Amino acid sequence: QVQLVESGGGLVQAGNSLRLSCVASGRTLTNYAMGWFRQAPAKERELVAVHGWNAGSTYYDYSVKGRFTISRDNAKNTVYLQMNNLKVEDTAVYYCAAGPLKIPPSLPDFDSWGQGTQVTVSS
């Protein structure tokens, strides 16, 4: 079983930036994808960005493409989400997840989840 711990959430004004981190432990993640999902109040959880095992293997939802960047340090079992030019509609609880990589990636493929970190963007 993989344990995932997120950090880096907070309250920011629109247009500013935040960086989320997620550290994994408990199992090797070789060939596993790590990703970020988010869930806003009264909405379903949605995929934000996914990073495969290898560099360059990334996937973004269209709503964040060009503003968010996912990166991964396999030596540290850590995945990051750099969020720039944040918008009010980015407000949500952000979850880190890990699972077998499938193309295209989707939420049901991920079997390990963190507790989430709140991101609030004010206008």
Side-chain angles (χ1 to χ4, degrees), residues 4-9 18-24 29 33-37 48-53 57-60 64 67-84 94-98 117 119:
L4 301 169
V5 179
E6 305 100 332
S7 62
L18 276 177
R19 189 193 196 206
L20 305 182
S21 300
C22 171
V23 180
L29 292 176
M34 294 185 74
W36 290 96
F37 297 76
V48 175
V50 170
H51 198 301
W53 176 252
S57 176
T58 57
Y59 177 88
Y60 296 92
V64 306
R67 299 188 297 123
F68 291 11
T69 302
I70 189 170
S71 60
R72 179 171 177 170
D73 186 335
N74 289 332
K76 297 181 179 179
N77 282 338
T78 301
V79 65
Y80 307 94
L81 186 68
Q82 177 65 42
M83 305 185 293
N84 297 331
Y94 283 69
Y95 296 91
C96 175
T117 185
V119 172

mmCIF file of all heavy atoms in Angstrom, residues 4-9 18-24 29 33-37 48-53 57-60 64 67-84 94-98 117 119:
data_model
loop_
_atom_site.group_PDB
_atom_site.id
_atom_site.type_symbol
_atom_site.label_atom_id
_atom_site.label_comp_id
_atom_site.label_asym_id
_atom_site.label_seq_id
_atom_site.Cartn_x
_atom_site.Cartn_y
_atom_site.Cartn_z
ATOM 1 N N LEU A 4 0.406 8.569 0.655
ATOM 2 C CA LEU A 4 0.657 9.817 -0.059
ATOM 3 C C LEU A 4 0.299 10.976 0.864
ATOM 4 O O LEU A 4 -0.792 10.999 1.443
ATOM 5 C CB LEU A 4 -0.189 9.889 -1.334
ATOM 6 C CG LEU A 4 0.029 8.757 -2.340
ATOM 7 C CD1 LEU A 4 -1.043 8.795 -3.424
ATOM 8 C CD2 LEU A 4 1.402 8.853 -2.973
ATOM 9 N N VAL A 5 1.218 11.931 0.966
ATOM 10 C CA VAL A 5 0.997 13.095 1.830
ATOM 11 C C VAL A 5 1.224 14.361 1.024
ATOM 12 O O VAL A 5 2.325 14.606 0.529
ATOM 13 C CB VAL A 5 1.924 13.076 3.057
ATOM 14 C CG1 VAL A 5 1.682 14.310 3.913
ATOM 15 C CG2 VAL A 5 1.708 11.811 3.876
ATOM 16 N N GLU A 6 0.162 15.163 0.913
ATOM 17 C CA GLU A 6 0.228 16.411 0.161
ATOM 18 C C GLU A 6 0.573 17.582 1.087
ATOM 19 O O GLU A 6 0.277 17.551 2.289
ATOM 20 C CB GLU A 6 -1.111 16.730 -0.515
ATOM 21 C CG GLU A 6 -1.645 15.631 -1.412
ATOM 22 C CD GLU A 6 -2.717 14.804 -0.742
ATOM 23 O OE1 GLU A 6 -2.701 14.693 0.502
ATOM 24 O OE2 GLU A 6 -3.581 14.260 -1.456
ATOM 25 N N SER A 7 1.140 18.612 0.497
ATOM 26 C CA SER A 7 1.388 19.864 1.215
ATOM 27 C C SER A 7 1.439 21.004 0.210
ATOM 28 O O SER A 7 1.560 20.762 -0.996
ATOM 29 C CB SER A 7 2.697 19.793 2.012
ATOM 30 O OG SER A 7 3.791 19.594 1.146
ATOM 31 N N GLY A 8 1.333 22.225 0.724
ATOM 32 C CA GLY A 8 1.504 23.393 -0.133
ATOM 33 C C GLY A 8 0.246 24.167 -0.460
ATOM 34 O O GLY A 8 0.311 25.206 -1.123
ATOM 35 N N GLY A 9 -0.902 23.675 -0.022
ATOM 36 C CA GLY A 9 -2.127 24.412 -0.304
ATOM 37 C C GLY A 9 -2.203 25.695 0.509
ATOM 38 O O GLY A 9 -1.373 25.962 1.379
ATOM 39 N N LEU A 18 0.963 28.940 -6.609
ATOM 40 C CA LEU A 18 1.178 28.010 -5.509
ATOM 41 C C LEU A 18 1.895 26.785 -6.050
ATOM 42 O O LEU A 18 1.733 26.444 -7.233
ATOM 43 C CB LEU A 18 -0.139 27.565 -4.882
ATOM 44 C CG LEU A 18 -0.797 28.431 -3.813
ATOM 45 C CD1 LEU A 18 -2.129 27.800 -3.399
ATOM 46 C CD2 LEU A 18 0.099 28.617 -2.610
ATOM 47 N N ARG A 19 2.624 26.121 -5.180
ATOM 48 C CA ARG A 19 3.265 24.868 -5.549
ATOM 49 C C ARG A 19 2.856 23.793 -4.553
ATOM 50 O O ARG A 19 3.100 23.918 -3.356
ATOM 51 C CB ARG A 19 4.776 25.014 -5.545
ATOM 52 C CG ARG A 19 5.513 23.811 -6.116
ATOM 53 C CD ARG A 19 6.980 23.882 -5.809
ATOM 54 N NE ARG A 19 7.785 22.982 -6.608
ATOM 55 C CZ ARG A 19 8.959 22.491 -6.225
ATOM 56 N NH1 ARG A 19 9.463 22.827 -5.047
ATOM 57 N NH2 ARG A 19 9.647 21.698 -7.016
ATOM 58 N N LEU A 20 2.251 22.749 -5.075
ATOM 59 C CA LEU A 20 1.867 21.610 -4.253
ATOM 60 C C LEU A 20 2.928 20.522 -4.341
ATOM 61 O O LEU A 20 3.555 20.335 -5.390
ATOM 62 C CB LEU A 20 0.530 21.038 -4.707
ATOM 63 C CG LEU A 20 -0.646 22.011 -4.778
ATOM 64 C CD1 LEU A 20 -1.924 21.246 -5.195
ATOM 65 C CD2 LEU A 20 -0.858 22.713 -3.467
ATOM 66 N N SER A 21 3.102 19.812 -3.241
ATOM 67 C CA SER A 21 4.029 18.683 -3.205
ATOM 68 C C SER A 21 3.305 17.461 -2.673
ATOM 69 O O SER A 21 2.377 17.576 -1.863
ATOM 70 C CB SER A 21 5.224 18.983 -2.306
ATOM 71 O OG SER A 21 5.944 20.107 -2.753
ATOM 72 N N CYS A 22 3.763 16.303 -3.108
ATOM 73 C CA CYS A 22 3.195 15.040 -2.625
ATOM 74 C C CYS A 22 4.324 14.037 -2.487
ATOM 75 O O CYS A 22 4.996 13.727 -3.473
ATOM 76 C CB CYS A 22 2.133 14.533 -3.591
ATOM 77 S SG CYS A 22 1.542 12.852 -3.217
ATOM 78 N N VAL A 23 4.489 13.531 -1.277
ATOM 79 C CA VAL A 23 5.534 12.540 -1.015
ATOM 80 C C VAL A 23 4.898 11.174 -0.833
ATOM 81 O O VAL A 23 3.933 11.024 -0.066
ATOM 82 C CB VAL A 23 6.352 12.907 0.237
ATOM 83 C CG1 VAL A 23 7.430 11.873 0.484
ATOM 84 C CG2 VAL A 23 6.963 14.286 0.082
ATOM 85 N N ALA A 24 5.439 10.190 -1.531
ATOM 86 C CA ALA A 24 4.923 8.826 -1.457
ATOM 87 C C ALA A 24 5.855 7.949 -0.636
ATOM 88 O O ALA A 24 7.069 8.117 -0.660
ATOM 89 C CB ALA A 24 4.780 8.253 -2.859
ATOM 90 N N LEU A 29 7.347 2.901 -6.661
ATOM 91 C CA LEU A 29 6.404 3.405 -7.655
ATOM 92 C C LEU A 29 6.947 3.279 -9.066
ATOM 93 O O LEU A 29 6.510 4.003 -9.967
ATOM 94 C CB LEU A 29 6.055 4.854 -7.343
ATOM 95 C CG LEU A 29 5.247 5.060 -6.055
ATOM 96 C CD1 LEU A 29 5.033 6.529 -5.782
ATOM 97 C CD2 LEU A 29 3.900 4.346 -6.160
ATOM 98 N N ALA A 33 2.100 5.784 -12.449
ATOM 99 C CA ALA A 33 1.808 7.189 -12.667
ATOM 100 C C ALA A 33 1.480 7.850 -11.338
ATOM 101 O O ALA A 33 0.944 7.214 -10.419
ATOM 102 C CB ALA A 33 0.628 7.342 -13.613
ATOM 103 N N MET A 34 1.808 9.125 -11.245
ATOM 104 C CA MET A 34 1.376 9.942 -10.102
ATOM 105 C C MET A 34 0.650 11.148 -10.662
ATOM 106 O O MET A 34 1.045 11.702 -11.691
ATOM 107 C CB MET A 34 2.568 10.376 -9.252
ATOM 108 C CG MET A 34 3.267 9.215 -8.566
ATOM 109 S SD MET A 34 4.585 9.746 -7.445
ATOM 110 C CE MET A 34 3.616 10.409 -6.063
ATOM 111 N N GLY A 35 -0.410 11.507 -10.008
ATOM 112 C CA GLY A 35 -1.215 12.579 -10.568
ATOM 113 C C GLY A 35 -1.852 13.456 -9.509
ATOM 114 O O GLY A 35 -1.807 13.154 -8.315
ATOM 115 N N TRP A 36 -2.429 14.527 -9.985
ATOM 116 C CA TRP A 36 -3.176 15.466 -9.157
ATOM 117 C C TRP A 36 -4.610 15.529 -9.660
ATOM 118 O O TRP A 36 -4.849 15.628 -10.870
ATOM 119 C CB TRP A 36 -2.546 16.853 -9.199
ATOM 120 C CG TRP A 36 -1.230 16.929 -8.502
ATOM 121 C CD1 TRP A 36 0.005 16.820 -9.059
ATOM 122 C CD2 TRP A 36 -1.023 17.129 -7.100
ATOM 123 N NE1 TRP A 36 0.974 16.925 -8.092
ATOM 124 C CE2 TRP A 36 0.363 17.127 -6.878
ATOM 125 C CE3 TRP A 36 -1.876 17.310 -6.007
ATOM 126 C CZ2 TRP A 36 0.925 17.303 -5.607
ATOM 127 C CZ3 TRP A 36 -1.323 17.479 -4.752
ATOM 128 C CH2 TRP A 36 0.059 17.476 -4.555
ATOM 129 N N PHE A 37 -5.519 15.480 -8.713
ATOM 130 C CA PHE A 37 -6.936 15.610 -8.978
ATOM 131 C C PHE A 37 -7.473 16.701 -8.070
ATOM 132 O O PHE A 37 -6.825 17.087 -7.101
ATOM 133 C CB PHE A 37 -7.654 14.285 -8.693
ATOM 134 C CG PHE A 37 -7.214 13.157 -9.577
ATOM 135 C CD1 PHE A 37 -6.000 12.519 -9.369
ATOM 136 C CD2 PHE A 37 -8.007 12.733 -10.631
ATOM 137 C CE1 PHE A 37 -5.584 11.481 -10.198
ATOM 138 C CE2 PHE A 37 -7.606 11.692 -11.461
ATOM 139 C CZ PHE A 37 -6.393 11.069 -11.238
ATOM 140 N N VAL A 48 -6.524 16.628 -12.930
ATOM 141 C CA VAL A 48 -5.868 17.888 -13.241
ATOM 142 C C VAL A 48 -4.633 17.636 -14.110
ATOM 143 O O VAL A 48 -4.491 18.206 -15.183
ATOM 144 C CB VAL A 48 -5.461 18.635 -11.954
ATOM 145 C CG1 VAL A 48 -4.661 19.891 -12.291
ATOM 146 C CG2 VAL A 48 -6.686 18.971 -11.126
ATOM 147 N N ALA A 49 -3.737 16.785 -13.603
ATOM 148 C CA ALA A 49 -2.496 16.506 -14.325
ATOM 149 C C ALA A 49 -1.948 15.161 -13.872
ATOM 150 O O ALA A 49 -2.115 14.784 -12.712
ATOM 151 C CB ALA A 49 -1.465 17.605 -14.092
ATOM 152 N N VAL A 50 -1.284 14.480 -14.788
ATOM 153 C CA VAL A 50 -0.699 13.168 -14.488
ATOM 154 C C VAL A 50 0.711 13.121 -15.045
ATOM 155 O O VAL A 50 0.967 13.650 -16.136
ATOM 156 C CB VAL A 50 -1.549 12.037 -15.097
ATOM 157 C CG1 VAL A 50 -0.826 10.700 -14.993
ATOM 158 C CG2 VAL A 50 -2.899 11.963 -14.406
ATOM 159 N N HIS A 51 1.591 12.480 -14.285
ATOM 160 C CA HIS A 51 2.973 12.302 -14.731
ATOM 161 C C HIS A 51 3.301 10.814 -14.694
ATOM 162 O O HIS A 51 3.158 10.159 -13.667
ATOM 163 C CB HIS A 51 3.926 13.061 -13.812
ATOM 164 C CG HIS A 51 5.281 13.302 -14.391
ATOM 165 N ND1 HIS A 51 6.117 12.274 -14.808
ATOM 166 C CD2 HIS A 51 5.948 14.450 -14.642
ATOM 167 C CE1 HIS A 51 7.230 12.791 -15.279
ATOM 168 N NE2 HIS A 51 7.155 14.112 -15.193
ATOM 169 N N GLY A 52 3.719 10.281 -15.822
ATOM 170 C CA GLY A 52 4.151 8.903 -15.875
ATOM 171 C C GLY A 52 5.520 8.713 -15.231
ATOM 172 O O GLY A 52 6.097 9.635 -14.666
ATOM 173 N N TRP A 53 6.036 7.507 -15.310
ATOM 174 C CA TRP A 53 7.320 7.217 -14.687
ATOM 175 C C TRP A 53 8.455 8.000 -15.348
ATOM 176 O O TRP A 53 9.383 8.454 -14.684
ATOM 177 C CB TRP A 53 7.608 5.714 -14.760
ATOM 178 C CG TRP A 53 8.944 5.316 -14.238
ATOM 179 C CD1 TRP A 53 10.024 4.898 -14.953
ATOM 180 C CD2 TRP A 53 9.368 5.307 -12.869
ATOM 181 N NE1 TRP A 53 11.086 4.616 -14.126
ATOM 182 C CE2 TRP A 53 10.713 4.858 -12.851
ATOM 183 C CE3 TRP A 53 8.749 5.629 -11.656
ATOM 184 C CZ2 TRP A 53 11.433 4.715 -11.665
ATOM 185 C CZ3 TRP A 53 9.469 5.493 -10.484
ATOM 186 C CH2 TRP A 53 10.790 5.049 -10.490
ATOM 187 N N SER A 57 6.461 12.324 -19.920
ATOM 188 C CA SER A 57 5.191 11.600 -19.981
ATOM 189 C C SER A 57 4.186 12.310 -19.088
ATOM 190 O O SER A 57 3.991 11.945 -17.929
ATOM 191 C CB SER A 57 5.407 10.159 -19.508
ATOM 192 O OG SER A 57 4.174 9.465 -19.466
ATOM 193 N N THR A 58 3.564 13.346 -19.635
ATOM 194 C CA THR A 58 2.635 14.147 -18.852
ATOM 195 C C THR A 58 1.316 14.326 -19.579
ATOM 196 O O THR A 58 1.242 14.233 -20.807
ATOM 197 C CB THR A 58 3.225 15.538 -18.545
ATOM 198 O OG1 THR A 58 3.562 16.186 -19.774
ATOM 199 C CG2 THR A 58 4.462 15.423 -17.670
ATOM 200 N N TYR A 59 0.290 14.576 -18.789
ATOM 201 C CA TYR A 59 -1.047 14.782 -19.322
ATOM 202 C C TYR A 59 -1.713 15.860 -18.486
ATOM 203 O O TYR A 59 -1.618 15.836 -17.267
ATOM 204 C CB TYR A 59 -1.848 13.485 -19.261
ATOM 205 C CG TYR A 59 -3.263 13.634 -19.718
ATOM 206 C CD1 TYR A 59 -3.596 13.486 -21.062
ATOM 207 C CD2 TYR A 59 -4.284 13.925 -18.819
ATOM 208 C CE1 TYR A 59 -4.910 13.648 -21.484
ATOM 209 C CE2 TYR A 59 -5.585 14.089 -19.236
ATOM 210 C CZ TYR A 59 -5.890 13.939 -20.567
ATOM 211 O OH TYR A 59 -7.177 14.099 -20.991
ATOM 212 N N TYR A 60 -2.415 16.793 -19.155
ATOM 213 C CA TYR A 60 -3.097 17.882 -18.467
ATOM 214 C C TYR A 60 -4.542 17.990 -18.910
ATOM 215 O O TYR A 60 -4.872 17.781 -20.082
ATOM 216 C CB TYR A 60 -2.409 19.220 -18.754
ATOM 217 C CG TYR A 60 -1.001 19.331 -18.243
ATOM 218 C CD1 TYR A 60 0.073 18.985 -19.047
ATOM 219 C CD2 TYR A 60 -0.749 19.786 -16.954
ATOM 220 C CE1 TYR A 60 1.375 19.093 -18.578
ATOM 221 C CE2 TYR A 60 0.546 19.904 -16.476
ATOM 222 C CZ TYR A 60 1.600 19.552 -17.296
ATOM 223 O OH TYR A 60 2.886 19.662 -16.819
ATOM 224 N N VAL A 64 -6.278 23.600 -17.340
ATOM 225 C CA VAL A 64 -5.065 24.041 -16.641
ATOM 226 C C VAL A 64 -3.846 24.067 -17.550
ATOM 227 O O VAL A 64 -2.776 24.544 -17.146
ATOM 228 C CB VAL A 64 -4.761 23.151 -15.416
ATOM 229 C CG1 VAL A 64 -5.974 23.087 -14.494
ATOM 230 C CG2 VAL A 64 -4.317 21.752 -15.829
ATOM 231 N N ARG A 67 -0.961 26.752 -17.653
ATOM 232 C CA ARG A 67 -0.860 27.446 -16.363
ATOM 233 C C ARG A 67 -0.239 26.554 -15.287
ATOM 234 O O ARG A 67 0.479 27.032 -14.412
ATOM 235 C CB ARG A 67 -2.255 27.890 -15.892
ATOM 236 C CG ARG A 67 -2.948 28.852 -16.829
ATOM 237 C CD ARG A 67 -4.234 29.396 -16.198
ATOM 238 N NE ARG A 67 -5.207 28.347 -15.937
ATOM 239 C CZ ARG A 67 -5.726 28.083 -14.737
ATOM 240 N NH1 ARG A 67 -5.340 28.778 -13.670
ATOM 241 N NH2 ARG A 67 -6.623 27.117 -14.587
ATOM 242 N N PHE A 68 -0.541 25.266 -15.332
ATOM 243 C CA PHE A 68 -0.033 24.322 -14.339
ATOM 244 C C PHE A 68 1.055 23.458 -14.969
ATOM 245 O O PHE A 68 0.978 23.110 -16.146
ATOM 246 C CB PHE A 68 -1.149 23.405 -13.839
ATOM 247 C CG PHE A 68 -2.196 24.069 -13.001
ATOM 248 C CD1 PHE A 68 -2.288 25.454 -12.879
ATOM 249 C CD2 PHE A 68 -3.140 23.295 -12.328
ATOM 250 C CE1 PHE A 68 -3.266 26.055 -12.111
ATOM 251 C CE2 PHE A 68 -4.129 23.878 -11.559
ATOM 252 C CZ PHE A 68 -4.189 25.256 -11.451
ATOM 253 N N THR A 69 2.024 23.080 -14.134
ATOM 254 C CA THR A 69 3.086 22.183 -14.579
ATOM 255 C C THR A 69 3.291 21.085 -13.539
ATOM 256 O O THR A 69 3.513 21.385 -12.366
ATOM 257 C CB THR A 69 4.407 22.934 -14.790
ATOM 258 O OG1 THR A 69 4.220 23.976 -15.750
ATOM 259 C CG2 THR A 69 5.496 21.986 -15.287
ATOM 260 N N ILE A 70 3.202 19.847 -13.984
ATOM 261 C CA ILE A 70 3.464 18.725 -13.095
ATOM 262 C C ILE A 70 4.887 18.241 -13.317
ATOM 263 O O ILE A 70 5.371 18.184 -14.456
ATOM 264 C CB ILE A 70 2.439 17.585 -13.315
ATOM 265 C CG1 ILE A 70 2.590 16.505 -12.239
ATOM 266 C CG2 ILE A 70 2.537 16.997 -14.719
ATOM 267 C CD1 ILE A 70 1.460 15.479 -12.243
ATOM 268 N N SER A 71 5.563 17.917 -12.238
ATOM 269 C CA SER A 71 6.916 17.378 -12.333
ATOM 270 C C SER A 71 7.085 16.295 -11.283
ATOM 271 O O SER A 71 6.278 16.187 -10.348
ATOM 272 C CB SER A 71 7.961 18.489 -12.152
ATOM 273 O OG SER A 71 7.821 19.109 -10.887
ATOM 274 N N ARG A 72 8.138 15.518 -11.463
ATOM 275 C CA ARG A 72 8.284 14.347 -10.599
ATOM 276 C C ARG A 72 9.761 14.098 -10.335
ATOM 277 O O ARG A 72 10.580 14.193 -11.257
ATOM 278 C CB ARG A 72 7.642 13.145 -11.286
ATOM 279 C CG ARG A 72 7.726 11.830 -10.554
ATOM 280 C CD ARG A 72 6.852 10.814 -11.261
ATOM 281 N NE ARG A 72 6.962 9.507 -10.625
ATOM 282 C CZ ARG A 72 6.175 8.468 -10.908
ATOM 283 N NH1 ARG A 72 5.228 8.601 -11.822
ATOM 284 N NH2 ARG A 72 6.336 7.315 -10.296
ATOM 285 N N ASP A 73 10.085 13.782 -9.093
ATOM 286 C CA ASP A 73 11.435 13.399 -8.704
ATOM 287 C C ASP A 73 11.358 11.964 -8.196
ATOM 288 O O ASP A 73 10.964 11.719 -7.046
ATOM 289 C CB ASP A 73 11.960 14.342 -7.617
ATOM 290 C CG ASP A 73 13.418 14.098 -7.268
ATOM 291 O OD1 ASP A 73 13.898 12.956 -7.474
ATOM 292 O OD2 ASP A 73 14.065 15.018 -6.780
ATOM 293 N N ASN A 74 11.713 11.017 -9.049
ATOM 294 C CA ASN A 74 11.581 9.597 -8.681
ATOM 295 C C ASN A 74 12.505 9.217 -7.527
ATOM 296 O O ASN A 74 12.171 8.341 -6.723
ATOM 297 C CB ASN A 74 11.853 8.718 -9.893
ATOM 298 C CG ASN A 74 10.742 8.807 -10.921
ATOM 299 O OD1 ASN A 74 9.587 9.070 -10.594
ATOM 300 N ND2 ASN A 74 11.083 8.589 -12.184
ATOM 301 N N ALA A 75 13.662 9.854 -7.442
ATOM 302 C CA ALA A 75 14.591 9.547 -6.352
ATOM 303 C C ALA A 75 14.004 9.924 -4.999
ATOM 304 O O ALA A 75 14.328 9.310 -3.980
ATOM 305 C CB ALA A 75 15.911 10.272 -6.581
ATOM 306 N N LYS A 76 13.137 10.926 -4.993
ATOM 307 C CA LYS A 76 12.518 11.385 -3.752
ATOM 308 C C LYS A 76 11.081 10.904 -3.597
ATOM 309 O O LYS A 76 10.403 11.281 -2.641
ATOM 310 C CB LYS A 76 12.547 12.913 -3.681
ATOM 311 C CG LYS A 76 13.943 13.509 -3.634
ATOM 312 C CD LYS A 76 13.873 15.027 -3.538
ATOM 313 C CE LYS A 76 15.272 15.636 -3.459
ATOM 314 N NZ LYS A 76 15.229 17.120 -3.378
ATOM 315 N N ASN A 77 10.610 10.106 -4.555
ATOM 316 C CA ASN A 77 9.209 9.643 -4.525
ATOM 317 C C ASN A 77 8.248 10.816 -4.355
ATOM 318 O O ASN A 77 7.274 10.732 -3.587
ATOM 319 C CB ASN A 77 8.996 8.636 -3.394
ATOM 320 C CG ASN A 77 9.513 7.255 -3.752
ATOM 321 O OD1 ASN A 77 9.652 6.915 -4.922
ATOM 322 N ND2 ASN A 77 9.802 6.469 -2.749
ATOM 323 N N THR A 78 8.500 11.876 -5.068
ATOM 324 C CA THR A 78 7.738 13.111 -4.896
ATOM 325 C C THR A 78 7.235 13.608 -6.247
ATOM 326 O O THR A 78 7.952 13.546 -7.248
ATOM 327 C CB THR A 78 8.598 14.192 -4.234
ATOM 328 O OG1 THR A 78 9.055 13.711 -2.962
ATOM 329 C CG2 THR A 78 7.805 15.469 -4.021
ATOM 330 N N VAL A 79 6.009 14.105 -6.236
ATOM 331 C CA VAL A 79 5.447 14.756 -7.408
ATOM 332 C C VAL A 79 5.013 16.161 -7.006
ATOM 333 O O VAL A 79 4.581 16.391 -5.871
ATOM 334 C CB VAL A 79 4.264 13.944 -7.990
ATOM 335 C CG1 VAL A 79 3.097 13.898 -7.021
ATOM 336 C CG2 VAL A 79 3.842 14.493 -9.338
ATOM 337 N N TYR A 80 5.180 17.102 -7.921
ATOM 338 C CA TYR A 80 4.874 18.499 -7.665
ATOM 339 C C TYR A 80 3.833 19.000 -8.651
ATOM 340 O O TYR A 80 3.716 18.488 -9.763
ATOM 341 C CB TYR A 80 6.136 19.357 -7.804
ATOM 342 C CG TYR A 80 7.302 18.897 -6.978
ATOM 343 C CD1 TYR A 80 8.272 18.057 -7.523
ATOM 344 C CD2 TYR A 80 7.440 19.288 -5.657
ATOM 345 C CE1 TYR A 80 9.346 17.621 -6.777
ATOM 346 C CE2 TYR A 80 8.523 18.858 -4.892
ATOM 347 C CZ TYR A 80 9.461 18.020 -5.459
ATOM 348 O OH TYR A 80 10.531 17.593 -4.705
ATOM 349 N N LEU A 81 3.126 20.030 -8.238
ATOM 350 C CA LEU A 81 2.223 20.718 -9.147
ATOM 351 C C LEU A 81 2.451 22.214 -8.974
ATOM 352 O O LEU A 81 2.070 22.783 -7.946
ATOM 353 C CB LEU A 81 0.761 20.366 -8.875
ATOM 354 C CG LEU A 81 -0.229 20.945 -9.876
ATOM 355 C CD1 LEU A 81 -0.048 20.286 -11.251
ATOM 356 C CD2 LEU A 81 -1.672 20.757 -9.402
ATOM 357 N N GLN A 82 3.086 22.815 -9.964
ATOM 358 C CA GLN A 82 3.289 24.257 -9.966
ATOM 359 C C GLN A 82 2.071 24.890 -10.621
ATOM 360 O O GLN A 82 1.778 24.613 -11.789
ATOM 361 C CB GLN A 82 4.554 24.621 -10.738
ATOM 362 C CG GLN A 82 4.811 26.113 -10.844
ATOM 363 C CD GLN A 82 5.099 26.766 -9.502
ATOM 364 O OE1 GLN A 82 5.836 26.206 -8.689
ATOM 365 N NE2 GLN A 82 4.525 27.923 -9.255
ATOM 366 N N MET A 83 1.395 25.737 -9.878
ATOM 367 C CA MET A 83 0.160 26.357 -10.370
ATOM 368 C C MET A 83 0.381 27.855 -10.497
ATOM 369 O O MET A 83 0.568 28.544 -9.488
ATOM 370 C CB MET A 83 -0.997 26.059 -9.406
ATOM 371 C CG MET A 83 -1.198 24.572 -9.139
ATOM 372 S SD MET A 83 -2.641 24.227 -8.111
ATOM 373 C CE MET A 83 -2.123 24.940 -6.555
ATOM 374 N N ASN A 84 0.369 28.331 -11.713
ATOM 375 C CA ASN A 84 0.565 29.754 -11.991
ATOM 376 C C ASN A 84 -0.721 30.377 -12.506
ATOM 377 O O ASN A 84 -1.611 29.675 -13.001
ATOM 378 C CB ASN A 84 1.668 29.945 -13.025
ATOM 379 C CG ASN A 84 3.024 29.460 -12.531
ATOM 380 O OD1 ASN A 84 3.301 29.467 -11.336
ATOM 381 N ND2 ASN A 84 3.857 29.033 -13.461
ATOM 382 N N TYR A 94 -7.256 19.607 -3.456
ATOM 383 C CA TYR A 94 -6.386 18.943 -4.417
ATOM 384 C C TYR A 94 -5.850 17.654 -3.800
ATOM 385 O O TYR A 94 -5.309 17.664 -2.686
ATOM 386 C CB TYR A 94 -5.242 19.859 -4.826
ATOM 387 C CG TYR A 94 -5.678 20.913 -5.812
ATOM 388 C CD1 TYR A 94 -6.530 21.951 -5.426
ATOM 389 C CD2 TYR A 94 -5.277 20.858 -7.141
ATOM 390 C CE1 TYR A 94 -6.967 22.901 -6.339
ATOM 391 C CE2 TYR A 94 -5.691 21.811 -8.062
ATOM 392 C CZ TYR A 94 -6.540 22.821 -7.654
ATOM 393 O OH TYR A 94 -6.961 23.761 -8.571
ATOM 394 N N TYR A 95 -5.996 16.578 -4.551
ATOM 395 C CA TYR A 95 -5.579 15.259 -4.099
ATOM 396 C C TYR A 95 -4.448 14.726 -4.955
ATOM 397 O O TYR A 95 -4.478 14.836 -6.182
ATOM 398 C CB TYR A 95 -6.746 14.280 -4.174
ATOM 399 C CG TYR A 95 -7.904 14.598 -3.279
ATOM 400 C CD1 TYR A 95 -8.954 15.395 -3.731
ATOM 401 C CD2 TYR A 95 -7.961 14.106 -1.977
ATOM 402 C CE1 TYR A 95 -10.031 15.690 -2.908
ATOM 403 C CE2 TYR A 95 -9.031 14.391 -1.149
ATOM 404 C CZ TYR A 95 -10.061 15.187 -1.620
ATOM 405 O OH TYR A 95 -11.122 15.470 -0.800
ATOM 406 N N CYS A 96 -3.496 14.106 -4.303
ATOM 407 C CA CYS A 96 -2.442 13.371 -4.988
ATOM 408 C C CYS A 96 -2.865 11.909 -5.085
ATOM 409 O O CYS A 96 -3.518 11.378 -4.164
ATOM 410 C CB CYS A 96 -1.151 13.493 -4.180
ATOM 411 S SG CYS A 96 0.241 12.551 -4.793
ATOM 412 N N ALA A 97 -2.515 11.263 -6.182
ATOM 413 C CA ALA A 97 -2.887 9.865 -6.361
ATOM 414 C C ALA A 97 -1.804 9.129 -7.133
ATOM 415 O O ALA A 97 -1.026 9.740 -7.878
ATOM 416 C CB ALA A 97 -4.222 9.763 -7.100
ATOM 417 N N ALA A 98 -1.782 7.810 -6.975
ATOM 418 C CA ALA A 98 -0.827 6.969 -7.694
ATOM 419 C C ALA A 98 -1.550 5.737 -8.219
ATOM 420 O O ALA A 98 -2.494 5.237 -7.589
ATOM 421 C CB ALA A 98 0.323 6.564 -6.785
ATOM 422 N N THR A 117 -5.331 18.610 0.011
ATOM 423 C CA THR A 117 -4.914 19.904 0.533
ATOM 424 C C THR A 117 -5.783 20.979 -0.111
ATOM 425 O O THR A 117 -6.032 20.939 -1.316
ATOM 426 C CB THR A 117 -3.414 20.155 0.283
ATOM 427 O OG1 THR A 117 -3.013 21.379 0.895
ATOM 428 C CG2 THR A 117 -3.074 20.205 -1.204
ATOM 429 N N VAL A 119 -6.936 24.391 -1.678
ATOM 430 C CA VAL A 119 -6.456 25.559 -2.420
ATOM 431 C C VAL A 119 -7.643 26.495 -2.603
ATOM 432 O O VAL A 119 -8.667 26.101 -3.151
ATOM 433 C CB VAL A 119 -5.873 25.160 -3.785
ATOM 434 C CG1 VAL A 119 -5.568 26.401 -4.622
ATOM 435 C CG2 VAL A 119 -4.621 24.321 -3.597
#
